[in-house]
């Protein structure tokens, strides 16, 4: 459920007309709904209400905007970060360190030092050399680092190959079959305090079965680790729950279905459960609003050329992702069209042969479900300034990231003095 609705024939975000924002800020622009963010955070927490004090750490990479993080932090969510930059953003947004988890295969010594200085809740380790490095860094600071190993359970998440992370050939986690040895080695490292087990098998999962298979393996490992004398008190079950993008596809499992499965599978584990949802919290809470530059005749279907491009919303070119595209003020007429951006790449295509609202030059269109992995992946390819972001709450709205002037992009380049001109 979201808060992007048609009122008197035109799309609004909560109580703010899309046209108001387009006129004031220009397009393209990302627009987020506070009510939707808060609702999704609440629905996810309600789904876990049967568990004892779970920690829900929002996966910052899905949407790192400070206003979004502050909204979610205010709802009691923590942060799952994958870089020093994300860690600092989460802290700047007021998320307490004892709700921050640090994931990722390539943490550097500097990032480890930063996270230890702030006293984060947990490091999710992904290799034995990383464990060694973290121990060395912690010892050099006179600290111990609370850790879990992320295990690679070798299950097929059934999602797009580029966002599958739990197969043995993926770069993530330690091999499940070697986990006992890896934990044994970690116990001997003076800078580490082994606390738990972590898993995250991929994103945009539309079936609970692979998640359940992975969690069952975590449960088996927890028992084996306890048998081997480890004090396992936490299990981090990652994120990955999918959201509906295409209304013609079956709905992904609901947070409630997910929560019920988790409660069933983890019964008797006797640990604090941790979660790292990203997309399911922010996906439906955002749209990318864009204006039609012009409509050009195509060989089969017309090309609707919009002012948003692959650099603003990469998912279609990166993962062949499907976003619903709606006219802000539909005429009622429908037709087939190809929706493309202005960037000089054929990959700058949002939809081919899409049955959609018929739109004309100057019309506004909304790319739905763009709150996750949207603005955060944007770049400046084709010298297009980063797309701005707006947050709406009821009848209030605010620019929460400005559109930088093109001059800033140009000024960032430094021309050495040996080049004339
Ligand atoms: C990306 C990521 C997440 C969030 O995934 P979603 O599919 O957005 O829920 C959680 N944990 C880790 C380790 C991640 O890399």
């Amino acid at each position: 459920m979201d808060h992007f609705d048609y009122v008197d024939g035109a799309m609004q975000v909560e109580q703010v007309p899309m046209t108001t924002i387009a006129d004031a800020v220009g397009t393209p622009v990302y627009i987020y709904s506070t009510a939707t963010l808060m609702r999704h955070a609440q629905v996810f927490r309600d789904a876990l209400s049967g568990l004892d004090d779970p920690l829900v750490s929002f996966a910052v990479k899905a949407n790192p905007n400070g206003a979004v993080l502050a909204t979610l932090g205010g709802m009691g969510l923590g942060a799952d970060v994958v870089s020093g930059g994300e860690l600092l953003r989460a802290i700047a947004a007021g998320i307490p360190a004892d709700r921050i988890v640090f994931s990722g295969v390539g943490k550097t010594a500097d990032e480890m030092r930063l996270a230890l200085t702030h006293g984060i809740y947990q490091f999710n380790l992904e290799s034995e050399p990383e464990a060694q490095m973290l121990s060395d860094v912690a010892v050099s600071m006179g600290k111990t680092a609370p850790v879990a190993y992320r295990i690679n359970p070798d299950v097929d998440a059934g999602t797009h190959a580029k966002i599958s992370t739990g197969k043995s050939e993926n770069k993530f986690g330690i091999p499940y079959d070697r986990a006992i040895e890896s934990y044994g080695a970690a116990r001997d490292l003076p800078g580490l305090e082994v606390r738990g087990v972590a898993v995250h098998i991929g994103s945009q999962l539309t079936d609970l079965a692979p998640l359940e298979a992975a969690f069952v393996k975590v449960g088996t490992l927890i028992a084996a680790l306890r048998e081997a004398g480890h004090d396992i008190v936490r299990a981090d079950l990652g994120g990955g729950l999918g959201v509906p993008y295409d209304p013609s596809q079956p709905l992904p499992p609901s947070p409630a279905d997910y929560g019920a499965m988790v409660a069933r599978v983890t019964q008797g584990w006797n640990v604090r459960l941790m979660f790292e949802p990203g997309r399911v919290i922010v996906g439906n809470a955002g749209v990318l609003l864009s204006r039609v530059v012009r409509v050009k005749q195509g060989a089969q279907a017309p090309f609707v050329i919009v002012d948003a491009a692959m650099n603003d919303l990469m998912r279609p070119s990166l993962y062949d992702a499907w976003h619903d595209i709606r006219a802000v003020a539909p005429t009622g007429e429908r037709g087939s069209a190809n929706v493309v951006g202005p960037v000089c790449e054929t990959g700058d295509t949002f939809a081919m042969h899409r049955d959609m609202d018929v739109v004309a030059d100057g019309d506004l269109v909304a790319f739905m479900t763009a709150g996750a992995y949207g603005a955060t992946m944007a770049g400046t390819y084709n010298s297009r300034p980063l797309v701005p972001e707006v947050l709406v709450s009821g009848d209030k709205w605010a620019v929460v990231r400005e559109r930088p002037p093109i001059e800033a992009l140009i000024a960032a380049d430094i021309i050495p003095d040996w080049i004339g001109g």
Side-chain angles (χ1 to χ4, degrees), residues 44 57-63 80-82 101-104 124 126 150 163 165 172 198-205 236-242 275-282 372-373:
F44 197 85
S57 293
F58 171 66
V60 171
K61 75 179 191 287
N63 190 324
D80 172 53
V81 302
V82 294
V101 180
F102 199 157
S103 301
N124 287 349
E126 304 222 13
R150 174 176 178 175
I163 46 174
T165 58
F172 296 100
V199 74
H200 172 73
I201 62 169
S203 197
Q204 187 51 19
L205 309 188
D236 182 342
L237 301 184
L241 200 55
F275 300 87
E276 305 168 346
R279 191 188 308 269
V280 75
I281 305 291
V282 291
Y373 307 103

Side-chain angles (χ1 to χ4, degrees), residues 186-202:
R187 175 166 44 195
D188 296 336
L189 293 172
L192 304 187
E193 227 171 282
V194 176
R195 288 287 167 80
V197 179
V199 74
H200 172 73
I201 62 169

Side-chain angles (χ1 to χ4, degrees), residues 349-384:
T349 297
F350 293 112
M352 290 297 284
H353 304 290
R354 178 71 64 87
D355 175 48
M356 59 180 280
D357 298 322
V358 170
V359 289
D361 300 7
D363 285 357
L364 290 171
V365 295
F367 291 85
M368 307 307 292
T369 320
Y373 307 103
T376 180
M377 284 189 175
T380 60
Y381 186 40
N382 275 215
S383 293
R384 296 166 50 85

Side-chain angles (χ1 to χ4, degrees), residues 300-354:
Q300 285 128 22
F303 287 100
V304 173
I305 305 167
V306 297
D307 65 4
M310 62 188 287
N311 67 296
D312 304 308
L313 176 61
M314 277 180 68
R315 299 188 64 260
S317 57
L318 198 57
Y319 315 130
D320 298 314
W322 201 103
H323 284 270
D324 203 9
I325 304 170
R326 298 187 197 157
V328 165
T331 60
E333 206 186 336
R334 307 269 303 174
S336 178
N338 308 317
V339 181
V340 300
V343 161
C344 296
E345 298 241 6
T346 299
D348 186 22
T349 297
F350 293 112
M352 290 297 284
H353 304 290
R354 178 71 64 87

